[in-house]
Amino acid sequence: MSSLEEHYPTPCAFCRIAAAYPPDASSPIPSNPDPEKVDPQCFLLLSTPHVLAFLDILPIAPGHILLATRKHYQKLVDLHNTVPTTPGDAARATRDEARETSRALGEYLPLLSRALCAVTGIEDWNVVQNNGERAAQVVPHIHFHLIPRYQEGRREVEGKGRKGGVDVGMLKSWRVFGRGAREDLDEEEAVGMAGELRGVMRGELEGEGEAGGNVGGKAK
């Protein structure tokens, strides 16, 4: 099993991904991105002027997605407290870019979530965002984790006024955020998963298919 440091060396791995996969004006969903443009491979799902999404190469669970900013911001506060070093129009442009990035994160988190549910069949998932080393941030570049929580092994419990609740202690896929068992992403599985996720997102954006009706269930 590889270490996180082996997969995410410096300089910033996510900046290298952003440089390798520029936005396409025709669609935010790439049609057939080459995963070998960077090393280690990147299984790209989304590429816009402000954000990118790709599969985590050390997933906690199959379908683990990362949504990252295209520009290098280290922590969430950097998107709000950006202090431009240049005056006038350049300063306003820097502030505007930070705001547009914030909007893009909010816009694409739900879309990625819907696609993740449709493709994997999950009902529950975590959206996790770490800021700083003490908060388990491995790559010092703003990114959100979308972590599927699979239903197998869960136990329905009753008591304390609840009926049919879930005993979270019995969830086999449960891991503490970012600290659980992580294994190398299987390349063949990643190709298929990334292709399905892009397909569902493309259908959502184009108003085609039945992705919306399949949220929480397997995509047809």
Side-chain angles (χ1 to χ4, degrees):
M1 185 181 298
S2 303
S3 69
L4 289 170
E5 289 75 15
E6 288 175 325
H7 281 297
Y8 295 132
T10 55
C12 180
F14 294 171
C15 285
R16 293 204 307 273
I17 291 173
Y21 299 97
D24 185 339
S26 63
S27 174
I29 312 300
S31 59
N32 189 28
D34 180 3
E36 296 187 358
K37 281 188 174 183
V38 292
D39 182 24
Q41 292 179 327
C42 173
F43 297 93
L44 192 69
L45 308 174
L46 175 75
S47 180
T48 84
H50 300 290
V51 296
L52 303 100
F54 40 90
L55 294 179
D56 193 314
I57 56 173
L58 285 175
I60 290 177
H64 184 164
I65 295 171
L66 300 180
L67 174 64
T69 60
R70 177 172 290 278
K71 185 177 179 180
H72 187 85
Y73 300 98
Q74 184 169 346
K75 299 180 181 180
L76 276 181
V77 293
D78 298 332
L79 286 176
H80 180 74
N81 294 332
T82 301
V83 180
T85 57
T86 53
D89 291 341
R92 284 192 293 273
T94 302
R95 286 193 293 266
D96 289 346
E97 183 177 15
R99 290 174 181 141
E100 287 299 321
T101 297
S102 297
R103 294 188 186 101
L105 289 169
E107 176 182 357
Y108 286 106
L109 274 172
L111 177 63
L112 287 163
S113 294
R114 290 173 66 85
L116 184 61
C117 289
V119 170
T120 64
I122 59 164
E123 300 170 359
D124 310 303
W125 68 103
N126 292 108
V127 177
V128 183
Q129 197 274 324
N130 304 322
N131 293 276
E133 292 182 359
R134 294 180 183 85
Q137 184 181 19
V138 175
V139 181
H141 183 129
I142 290 177
H143 61 284
F144 289 75
H145 297 259
L146 286 79
I147 306 171
R149 301 302 183 180
Y150 290 91
Q151 286 80 255
E152 74 277 10
R154 72 180 181 179
R155 182 175 64 188
E156 302 294 331
V157 295
E158 297 185 11
K160 296 183 179 180
R162 297 194 312 166
K163 186 173 182 179
V166 176
D167 179 2
V168 296
M170 292 298 293
L171 289 172
K172 290 182 179 179
S173 69
W174 177 261
R175 300 287 187 274
V176 176
F177 301 156
R179 295 295 192 184
R182 307 182 71 168
E183 299 181 356
D184 291 314
L185 182 64
D186 180 272
E187 181 179 340
E188 185 175 349
E189 291 180 3
V191 170
M193 176 76 71
E196 287 189 66
L197 288 166
R198 289 194 300 268
V200 171
M201 287 192 292
R202 190 175 297 111
E204 287 271 355
L205 291 177
E206 295 175 356
E208 299 174 354
E210 300 177 357
N214 288 328
V215 171
K218 190 70 175 178
K220 296 179 181 178

